[in-house]
Amino acid sequence: MQLRYVFTELRTGLRRNLSMHLAVILTLFVSLSLAGIGILVQREATVARDSLGDELKILVNLCTDDDPSHSPNCASGEVTADQQQRIEKEIKDNDEVRSFAYQSKEEGFEKAKETLPESSYSGPDPIVTAEGWPAAYWVTLKTPERADGIISALEGLDGVSGIKDQRKALGQIFGIMTVLKYGSWIGAGFLLFAALLQVTNTIRLAALARRREIAIMRLVGASTLYIALPFLLESLVAAIVGVALAAGVLAAFQHWGVDQALSDHVSFLPWVDWGDYTHALFGLFPPGIVLLGPALTLIPTLLLTRKYVKV
C-alpha cells in the first residue's frame, strides 16, 4: 500500500471539501460539548446523592455529649445503647420505611469534610471533630410523599438529636439536574444526527468528485480498503478536531465553571472533579466524547465507502 498516495488524497480531499469538513467539525464540537456536559451533570447527581442522600432519604441524627441542638431528647447526654435500640426498632417497624443504614461518627465526619472548609476541622483546635460529630441513621422511604409517620415517631424519642428532612430541597436540586442532563443530551442528540447527515453528504459528494480516480483504481485491482482509506482518514481528522475542541470546552467548564465558581459559591454540595472530567472523555457508559466522536464519523464513512467504492 502506497501511503504517499493515501496522504496526498487526504490532503486533496480536505482542501476540496474544506467548507463541508468545517461544518462537520463545528457540529461535532457543539454536540459533543453538550453530550459531555450531560455526562458531567449525571456524575454530579451521583456525587451529590452519595454525599447528601436523595429525595427518598431522611437523616436521623443521634445525640452527642454537649449536643449543639439543645434538644430535650439529649438531656441525658450522648445516646445510650438502650436508646439506640429503641430508635432502631421504631425504624424497623415503621411501614413507611424501605430500608435504613447506620452511619458512625467517623463515617459522617469523613463525609462532612468533603463540603466543610478545611480550617473548620484541621489545626490544633478544630471547630469540628469526629468525636463531636453525631452518629446517624439514613432512612430510605418507600415513597417521598410519605414520611410524616416515621418523623413523628422518631422526633420525640430520647437519643434523637434531630431529623433532617431534605426531600423538598433535594427534590428540587435533583429535578434541576435531571432537566439539565436530559436537555443537554436531547440537544446533543439532534446535533449529532445533523453531524451524521453532514458526514454522509460529505462522503457522498467526495466519492462522486473522485469517481474517475476510483474507476481507474478499480481497473488496476486496488482493494476496497485502499480506495476507502483517504475517506476514512478525512472523517478521522474531522472527529479528532471536533473532540479536541469539545474536550477544551469541557476542561474550561470544569476549571472556571465548577472549580472556580460553583465550588466557592455553593459549598454545601460536593462537585465533580477532574476524575469525572476524564470519565466524560473516556467513559464506556455512557460513552465518552473521545469514543463517541470517531464512532459517529468513521462508522457511516465505512458503510458509505463500501457502497461507493466496492470492487
Side-chain angles (χ1 to χ4, degrees), residues 28 32 192 195-196 199 232 235-236 238-240 243 287-303:
L28 276 175
L32 291 175
L192 288 172
L196 196 62
V199 169
L232 293 171
S235 296
L236 183 60
I240 290 172
V243 167
I289 64 172
V290 171
L291 303 178
L292 194 58
L296 285 168
T297 56
L298 291 178
I299 292 175
T301 300
L302 185 61
L303 295 175

Side-chain angles (χ1 to χ4, degrees), residues 109-126:
F109 179 67
E110 288 301 318
K111 189 177 289 187
K113 284 165 65 175
E114 297 175 3
T115 56
L116 292 173
E118 187 176 350
S119 58
S120 65
Y121 57 82
S122 61
D125 189 22

Side-chain angles (χ1 to χ4, degrees), residues 39 61 68 97 107 119 155 218 261 269 286:
I39 295 172
N61 286 320
V97 175
E107 291 170 338
S119 58
E155 60 187 359
R218 284 175 178 169
L269 276 177

Side-chain angles (χ1 to χ4, degrees), residues 186-206:
I186 290 171
F190 280 116
L191 288 170
L192 288 172
F193 181 68
L196 196 62
L197 294 178
Q198 286 181 333
V199 169
T200 301
N201 197 39
T202 300
I203 296 303
R204 184 177 64 84
L205 292 177

Side-chain angles (χ1 to χ4, degrees), residues 176-192:
I176 292 171
M177 288 183 184
T178 300
V179 170
L180 289 174
K181 177 179 70 175
Y182 288 113
S184 61
W185 281 358
I186 290 171
F190 280 116
L191 288 170
L192 288 172

Side-chain angles (χ1 to χ4, degrees), residues 44 47-48 51-52 111-118 120-121 164 173 257-272:
E44 171 58 27
V47 169
S51 177
L52 303 176
K111 189 177 289 187
K113 284 165 65 175
E114 297 175 3
T115 56
L116 292 173
E118 187 176 350
S120 65
Y121 57 82
K164 199 170 183 181
I173 291 172
V258 177
D259 294 345
Q260 301 295 324
L262 291 173
S263 295
D264 292 338
H265 293 90
V266 190
S267 58
F268 72 92
L269 276 177
W271 291 96
V272 288

Side-chain angles (χ1 to χ4, degrees), residues 29-65:
F29 158 55
V30 176
S31 57
L32 291 175
S33 297
L34 287 174
I37 289 173
I39 295 172
L40 287 178
V41 172
Q42 181 192 41
R43 300 284 292 180
E44 171 58 27
T46 302
V47 169
R49 280 193 171 95
D50 289 343
S51 177
L52 303 176
D54 59 30
E55 60 268 33
L56 285 174
K57 290 184 179 180
I58 59 174
L59 180 65
V60 182
N61 286 320
L62 305 181
C63 294
T64 62
D65 285 330

